[in-house]
Amino acid sequence: MHRAPGAVAYSLLLVAVALPFATLLREMFAADATGVWLHYASTVLPGYVINAVVLGVSVALCASVMGVACAWQVERHDFPLRGFLAWALLLPMAMPAYVAAYALTDYFQFSGPVQSWLRATFGWSKGDYWFPEFVSMPGAIAAFSLTLYPYVYLLARTAFAERGAELFEAARTLGLNRRQAWWRAALPVARPAIAGGALLVTMETLADFGTVSYYGVETLTTGIYRAWQNMGDLVAAAQLAALLLAAVMVLVWLERRGRDRSRYANVRARGERMRPRVRGIGGWLRTALCVLPLLFGFVLPAVLLLRLLARDWSSVSATAVATWTRNSLWVGCLAALVVVTLTLMLNARARLAREVWALRVERLLSFGYAVPGAVLAIGVLLPLTWLDGRLIDWSKQWLGVNPGLILTGSVLALVYASSIRFYGVAASAVSAAYARLPLSLDDSARVLGVVGRAAFLRVHWPAIRRSAFAGMLLVFIDTLKELPATMTLRPFNFDTLATQTYNLVKDERLGEAAFPSLLIVLASLPAVALLARAQSAKPSRRDD
């Protein structure tokens, strides 16, 4: 009987996770679903799918090339500015792709400073020279690749540090040249990590709305938003959302299947490893290789935002920005608290009470990170709207009061979607902390009579609190940057930094958009600092 409350809680959590997806399935098979699907399939759907595939594959390849190249140079060689670049290469993670997109486009477009200088210097006019067109598919690929490559860099560097460098050196002693040793020894053992990073990049690309909308690239995400918000076509939006979800699930399945088939022994060297020093032209070429993605993915967009802000400072409303910031902080803090509280409770129950269901619910909730925000927005909004209607009817009948839209008229719907979307971010940090906690500590505490809540507070919490705080911060930052779900689920007249950045850019008010964009970047920097600190927390390998 003492397990009944736990069973009820797990059931409620399962219902909360499954409800959005069950709603999508229900709408997919509505009475007029077939006709809607055939109409979209014969008109815009092929373009959506082709653009999504081209964009996802291209960004994954470009980001993987940049991330792997930088990770190998940083982990394998000692060159000028290596210590700085080792952590600075993570900084583009703080720059949302849609922010970098409009900053770079404003600088490099036909009326921007670069092309204006070229025409003034050489006396050229339109048609006399060729320059890349940023508002295009290649421009979107560049913006995504420059801001998302750190996902691959982070995982690939860890893999190279654990196995790749030592196997590379062993292959060299067996007579292979540098290229052969890298292709046949270092790269294969890092391939699962690279594939995992490429999957994260692809999911972020497919889930994006702000960048593709600004560049005019029609994808499934823009189709979902247009069908729901502009055309009021609920069935079409649900069908497109289900198609996007199915594509993401296939990608996740393929990545996990490939990872399960790859098993390598951990040959990480104990102690310090000597890196060959590279000085002169070779060293500075390696520095330039690592500086370029950092320059175009973070430094240049940040400088351009400051330039735009300085140019149009007088048009910025401090009161409005303060309101957007308050709203963003409110939603981000609520989502972070909900997520971290849930993952701490589930992990603690699985550890202390040996409850198998706690681990199963934890794994199911963690899968929400693979679900795009636009998909969750549709799945969350529909059942909550129905539930709001029932609550209003019940309140009028029994209390004679109209309470209004309690769920969809407040931030509850947005916090609900954000909690499902970003649960895996905090769960991975907390689960990893628990995995490092020896079971012998629990046994010792039990012998001393410290069990249940007391064991969590006195034994577990001191050891995992830093990881819990890191997970909370990462959820907060991801919620702050989330655009599709926020635009769909935010209450009326409730604007955040992300939504107002998008609206101002859409209206070509770039100077006004610079301030909220910079605030998003500044708020994201602490999470990047935590990742950099965790990366540098490994045993030192510097050579003198």
Side-chain angles (χ1 to χ4, degrees):
M1 295 298 292
H2 66 284
R3 297 196 178 190
V8 173
Y10 297 146
S11 300
L12 291 176
L13 284 175
L14 289 173
V15 170
V17 177
L19 187 60
F21 308 109
T23 303
L24 287 176
L25 290 175
R26 176 182 176 276
E27 293 298 328
M28 280 184 61
F29 299 102
D32 55 346
T34 303
V36 172
W37 178 258
L38 291 176
H39 171 71
Y40 269 79
S42 62
T43 53
V44 295
L45 184 60
Y48 291 162
V49 173
I50 292 173
N51 287 340
V53 170
V54 171
L55 189 64
V57 172
S58 301
V59 172
L61 289 175
C62 293
S64 296
V65 170
M66 287 190 288
V68 171
C70 293
W72 178 250
Q73 297 304 327
V74 167
E75 196 56 41
R76 169 63 184 165
H77 301 100
D78 179 18
F79 53 90
L81 300 180
R82 177 198 166 275
F84 165 75
L85 291 169
W87 64 266
L89 282 165
L90 295 174
L91 287 175
M93 294 184 75
M95 182 70 63
Y98 55 86
V99 172
Y102 89 77
L104 293 173
T105 300
D106 178 71
Y107 192 67
F108 290 105
Q109 66 182 343
F110 181 79
S111 59
V114 174
Q115 294 198 54
S116 297
W117 177 84
L118 288 174
R119 292 192 299 270
T121 302
F122 298 101
W124 292 338
S125 60
K126 186 176 182 180
D128 294 337
Y129 67 98
W130 177 86
F131 200 87
E133 178 60 50
F134 266 71
V135 185
S136 61
M137 174 71 80
I141 294 172
F144 281 121
S145 302
L146 290 168
T147 54
L148 297 178
Y149 80 86
Y151 287 102
V152 181
Y153 166 78
L154 188 64
L155 297 176
R157 187 186 168 195
T158 301
F160 287 141
E162 291 178 347
R163 296 178 289 266
E166 282 72 22
L167 290 177
F168 176 85
E169 293 168 359
R172 291 283 289 149
T173 62
L174 295 176
L176 298 182
N177 60 37
R178 293 181 180 274
R179 181 177 300 178
Q180 291 173 333
W182 193 82
W183 277 103
R184 297 173 62 180
L187 181 62
V189 296
R191 191 176 297 141
I194 297 170
L199 175 65
L200 290 175
V201 169
T202 304
M203 289 193 300
E204 292 293 331
T205 302
L206 294 179
D208 179 86
F209 172 75
T211 308
V212 293
S213 177
Y214 181 68
Y215 280 135
V217 179
E218 302 291 340
T219 64
L220 288 170
T221 306
T222 58
I224 292 170
Y225 187 81
R226 181 177 294 109
W228 172 244
Q229 296 291 336
N230 298 346
M231 302 174 60
D233 195 338
L234 182 60
V235 174
Q239 290 181 339
L240 293 175
L243 179 61
L244 178 57
L245 179 61
V248 172
M249 295 303 174
V250 169
L251 290 176
V252 173
W253 177 77
L254 290 175
E255 188 273 335
R256 289 188 176 180
R257 182 180 181 185
R259 184 175 55 189
D260 291 340
R261 290 183 175 182
S262 301
R263 290 290 183 267
Y264 302 99
N266 191 345
V267 297
R268 183 172 180 170
R270 298 185 181 274
E272 296 185 357
R273 175 176 57 80
M274 299 293 291
R275 292 189 182 88
R277 289 192 175 189
V278 184
R279 296 293 184 260
I281 296 179
W284 286 108
L285 285 176
R286 286 171 170 81
T287 302
L289 174 68
C290 296
V291 164
L292 284 176
L294 173 64
L295 176 65
F296 287 99
F298 181 80
V299 177
L300 185 58
V303 171
L304 296 178
L305 289 175
L306 291 172
R307 170 181 168 271
L308 288 169
L309 182 60
R311 187 180 64 187
D312 295 331
W313 176 262
S314 59
S315 61
V316 176
S317 172
T319 303
V321 173
T323 301
W324 307 335
T325 304
R326 184 181 66 247
N327 293 341
S328 299
L329 295 176
W330 175 237
V331 174
C333 289
L334 282 178
L337 287 173
V338 169
V339 168
V340 171
T341 300
L342 279 177
T343 188
L344 286 174
M345 291 175 59
L346 290 174
N347 278 279
R349 294 293 297 178
R351 180 70 174 252
L352 295 172
R354 304 290 196 271
E355 293 186 356
V356 178
W357 271 102
L359 284 177
R360 293 177 180 175
V361 174
E362 167 88 354
R363 291 170 183 170
L364 181 61
L365 283 169
S366 299
F367 201 67
Y369 190 67
V371 183
V375 174
L376 267 180
I378 299 296
V380 165
L381 187 61
L382 298 182
L384 292 190
T385 301
W386 178 87
L387 188 57
D388 262 335
R390 304 292 75 74
L391 289 175
I392 291 174
D393 293 340
W394 179 87
S395 180
K396 286 182 177 179
Q397 180 179 357
W398 296 99
L399 303 177
V401 177
N402 185 352
L405 301 175
I406 298 175
L407 302 176
T408 57
S410 66
V411 297
L412 291 177
L414 183 54
V415 171
Y416 174 32
S418 299
S419 299
I420 297 177
R421 173 85 167 88
F422 302 119
Y423 181 88
V425 176
S428 61
V430 174
S431 298
Y434 263 109
R436 295 190 297 266
L437 199 62
L439 290 173
S440 58
L441 290 178
D442 295 356
D443 297 333
S444 301
R446 193 176 297 108
V447 170
L448 296 174
V450 180
V451 295
R453 183 179 303 176
F456 172 78
L457 294 176
R458 297 173 61 182
V459 179
H460 293 179
W461 178 246
I464 66 173
R465 60 186 177 188
R466 289 190 177 182
S467 297
F469 177 74
M472 182 182 297
L473 185 58
L474 290 172
V475 172
F476 171 78
I477 297 305
D478 281 337
T479 304
L480 199 69
K481 296 191 294 184
E482 172 63 31
L483 185 59
T486 307
M487 292 190 65
T488 303
L489 298 174
R490 63 191 172 103
F492 178 74
N493 203 27
F494 185 90
D495 296 314
T496 65
L497 293 172
T499 59
Q500 281 305 107
T501 296
Y502 170 76
N503 290 330
L504 292 171
V505 170
K506 184 176 64 174
D507 296 338
E508 295 297 328
R509 297 158 64 185
L510 302 183
E512 297 178 59
F515 197 12
S517 300
L518 283 170
L519 289 177
I520 295 175
V521 174
L522 289 174
S524 304
L525 287 177
V528 176
L530 279 175
L531 289 175
R533 183 178 179 181
Q535 190 76 7
S536 61
K538 302 174 187 177
S540 176
R541 298 185 176 199
R542 290 188 60 183
D543 53 287
D544 298 318

